[in-house]
Amino acid sequence: MQGDDVHVSCIRYKNLDYTKLKLFFLTILWKSHVSKNLFFKEIDLGEGYAERLRKMILDRDAGAEDEFEVILVKIENNGTKPTQSIVQPRRIKDNGNTAYGYHINEIMYHFNVSKYNKMSMFDKGIIKQDGIIDIAIIGGDFGNGYFDSFVGQSLFLNNNRDK
C-alpha cells in the first residue's frame, strides 16, 4: 500500500461479507455517537450524518465503499507502546474533512465521514464490496509518530524505552 510518499506493508483479508463487516464497524461509530459516556464526547456526527448512519444500520444497508469509509491500521511498536490499551476516540478535522479515530490494543480504526478533502489513506485500505480489506502495518518512527499524534503526547513504556 502506498500513498503520500510512504510505503507500508499490509495484511490482506479476502472473502469477507462486506455488508456484515462494514455494518459491524458502523455500529461502533453509531453507538459512540449516541452514548452519554464522556469517553465518547468527541464523537458527534451531527444531525444529517447521524440520521443517515441510523437508517443504514436499521435497513442493513452498508452503503457504497466511499460512504462512511472504514480503515484499520496496525501499529507495530516493538514493545515501546501499550499493546493492551483503549484510547479515547477522537474527531480528526483536516482541511474541511471530518474523520473519527479509535485505538484499541494495537489497531487504529478510522471512520471517514466527509465526502470531500478526505485523507489519502481512505483511498487505499477501505473495506471493499468484493470482500477485501487491507490492514496497513506501520512501525518504526513513522508508527510511533502516528500513535503519538493520535494520543496527543509521546508515550513510552519505561522498561522498553531503549529498544
Side-chain angles (χ1 to χ4, degrees), residues 87-88 90 103 108 145-155:
V87 177
Q88 184 174 6
R90 290 189 43 210
H103 179 269
M108 297 192 77
Y146 189 80
F147 177 85
D148 292 345
S149 70
F150 180 78
V151 173
Q153 63 183 323
S154 182
L155 295 177

Side-chain angles (χ1 to χ4, degrees), residues 16-30:
L16 302 170
D17 184 314
Y18 171 78
T19 299
K20 286 181 181 178
L21 184 61
K22 187 167 178 186
L23 286 174
F24 166 77
F25 287 116
L26 293 182
T27 60
I28 294 170
L29 182 61
W30 170 252

Side-chain angles (χ1 to χ4, degrees), residues 72-86:
L72 283 66
V73 178
K74 182 178 185 332
I75 308 292
E76 288 192 338
N77 60 53
N78 298 325
T80 61
K81 304 288 182 194
T83 56
Q84 301 295 308
S85 62
I86 298 175

Side-chain angles (χ1 to χ4, degrees), residues 88-101:
Q88 184 174 6
R90 290 189 43 210
R91 177 179 39 225
I92 303 162
K93 294 197 69 87
D94 182 40
N95 197 23
N97 178 274
T98 300
Y100 295 94

Side-chain angles (χ1 to χ4, degrees), residues 119-130:
M119 294 175 270
S120 64
M121 67 182 176
F122 287 104
D123 292 330
K124 310 290 184 235
I126 62 173
I127 300 169
K128 305 281 188 187
Q129 287 182 332
D130 62 3

